[in-house]
Amino acid sequence: MITIIKNQSPFVITIAVLAVLALIVLMPTEALFNKVFNDDFKLEYVDLTFKMGLLFLIGYSFIKMLKIQTLAGLSKQFPWRFKYLNLIPVYLIIIGILSVYSRDFSQIELPNLILLLFGCLMVGFAEEYLFRGLLQPLFLKKYGSRKYGIFMSILLTAVFFGVFHLINLAKNDNVGQVLVQVVFAMFIGFFFGVLLLKTNKLIPIAITHGLINFFFSLAFLPGLKTIQDETANTVSIAPIILFLPLFIIGLLIYKKLDKKEIIEKLEIEI
C-alpha cells in the first residue's frame, strides 16, 4: 500500500486527503457528545477537538509510514534554525488580543477558555501535519528538483490549504466571508510552508497556527460581549490585509532558502 501511495501523483493524494478531511469534518459526531454536554459551545469544541485529533493522528501516521519526517520538519537530523522567524506572526496574536481587550471577561468560564485553547491547538496541529507535514513534502519529492519546483510545491500546498476552507460553506452561507477566508488561508499557508523549509521544524509552526486561531476566536466565548452578531452578514477584506504581510515576508524568506539543503533532504528521503 505504501508503495502505491508513493507512486501516486501528489495531486491525486491531495484530492484524496481533502476528501477524507471533508468526510471527517462533516461527520455528525456531535451526537456522540450531546448526552454529556448540553452546552452548545462545549459541544462544538469537544467535537472539534475530537475530529482534529483524529486528523492529526492520520497526518502523523502517514508521515511516518511514507518516511518523510525530514521534509516534514520532524527529524532530529536537521536542527531548529532561525527560531526568531517563528515570532513574525505574533503581530496577529496581538491584533487578536486587542480586538477583545476592552470587553468584559468577568463572565468567562475557565473550562470554556481551556477548551477553546485546546481545540484551536488541535486545529493547528491537524492542519499543519496534513498540509505542511504530509502534502508539501510529497509535492517536493515530485517536483522539488525541477526549476521553480520548490516554489511551486510550497504554493500548490498553500492553494489547496486555502481551497480546503471552502468546506466552511457547510456552516456559513455567507459566500463572501468564506472566500475571504480562502484567500488569507493561502497567504498564511505559503508563509508556513516557507518557514518550515527555513527553520526545519513543524511543531513550532503548528503551535503558532493554533495560537493565532485561539486569539482570533476569543470573541466567540460565551459571556463575552462582542460585535459578532452585528457583523454576521457583512464581508470585510480586513483579514486579507492583515495576512498579506505574511505572504510578502514568505516571498522574501523564500529567496533566502538554502536550496542545496532542501535537495539534500530530498536525496535522504528517496
Side-chain angles (χ1 to χ4, degrees):
M1 177 182 176
I2 300 302
T3 303
I4 295 174
I5 295 176
K6 285 184 175 181
N7 293 332
Q8 283 290 345
S9 162
F11 289 97
V12 173
I13 297 174
T14 298
I15 292 171
V17 168
L18 291 178
V20 171
L21 276 166
L23 179 64
I24 292 176
V25 170
L26 296 177
M27 281 194 308
T29 51
E30 289 186 356
L32 298 173
F33 309 109
N34 60 11
K35 292 183 179 179
V36 180
F37 302 97
N38 54 9
D39 179 289
D40 288 342
F41 179 85
K42 289 184 174 66
L43 180 61
E44 177 183 354
Y45 278 90
V46 167
D47 183 60
L48 176 67
T49 301
F50 170 74
K51 290 176 178 176
M52 292 300 113
L54 181 58
L55 290 173
F56 164 69
L57 290 175
I58 291 173
Y60 178 71
S61 298
F62 273 97
I63 290 170
K64 287 196 67 175
M65 284 192 294
L66 295 173
K67 298 180 180 179
I68 53 176
Q69 291 97 322
T70 302
L71 287 170
L74 297 174
S75 171
K76 295 180 180 179
Q77 183 174 349
F78 292 86
W80 184 14
R81 301 189 306 165
F82 305 103
K83 300 177 183 179
Y84 63 90
L85 294 176
N86 289 92
L87 296 176
I88 292 174
V90 167
Y91 80 90
L92 292 171
I93 293 175
I94 294 173
I95 291 172
I97 294 173
L98 291 176
S99 68
V100 295
Y101 178 75
S102 62
R103 308 205 181 275
D104 181 11
F105 279 80
S106 62
Q107 301 301 315
I108 299 301
E109 298 178 13
L110 182 59
N112 284 342
L113 188 64
I114 294 173
L115 182 58
L116 178 66
L117 174 61
F118 194 66
C120 288
L121 285 173
M122 285 310 306
V123 171
F125 272 83
E127 293 185 345
E128 291 309 316
Y129 271 66
L130 284 167
F131 286 92
R132 258 61 65 185
L134 175 61
L135 297 182
Q136 181 168 292
L138 293 179
F139 277 105
L140 284 169
K141 285 172 72 71
K142 182 70 174 181
Y143 305 112
S145 59
R146 302 182 186 181
K147 187 177 182 180
Y148 305 120
I150 295 173
F151 178 81
M152 291 307 300
S153 296
I154 300 169
L155 182 62
L156 285 169
T157 305
V159 169
F160 281 115
F161 178 60
V163 169
F164 163 66
H165 287 77
L166 287 173
I167 198 171
N168 291 325
L169 288 171
K171 292 185 177 180
N172 184 355
D173 58 3
N174 190 320
V175 177
Q177 287 182 350
V178 174
L179 290 179
V180 166
Q181 188 176 18
V182 168
V183 174
F184 74 71
M186 290 181 187
F187 289 165
I188 196 170
F190 182 84
F191 172 78
F192 281 155
V194 174
L195 188 63
L196 174 60
L197 295 180
K198 187 69 174 178
T199 64
N200 296 324
K201 295 300 175 184
L202 181 63
I203 291 176
I205 294 173
I207 294 172
T208 300
H209 187 154
L211 289 177
I212 291 172
N213 286 357
F214 170 70
F215 285 104
F216 273 95
S217 298
L218 286 173
F220 297 104
L221 280 167
L224 186 63
K225 293 182 179 181
T226 72
I227 57 173
Q228 295 297 324
D229 293 336
E230 298 174 13
T231 60
N233 296 317
T234 63
V235 178
S236 171
I237 64 169
I240 293 178
I241 296 172
L242 288 177
F243 283 85
L244 180 58
L246 286 183
F247 179 68
I248 296 172
I249 294 170
L251 290 172
L252 296 175
I253 296 175
Y254 169 78
K255 293 182 178 180
K256 301 292 184 179
L257 283 180
D258 186 345
K259 308 297 194 302
K260 292 182 179 179
E261 182 179 87
I262 297 172
I263 298 301
E264 180 185 347
K265 292 178 182 178
L266 288 171
E267 292 173 347
I268 290 173
E269 297 187 342
I270 288 178

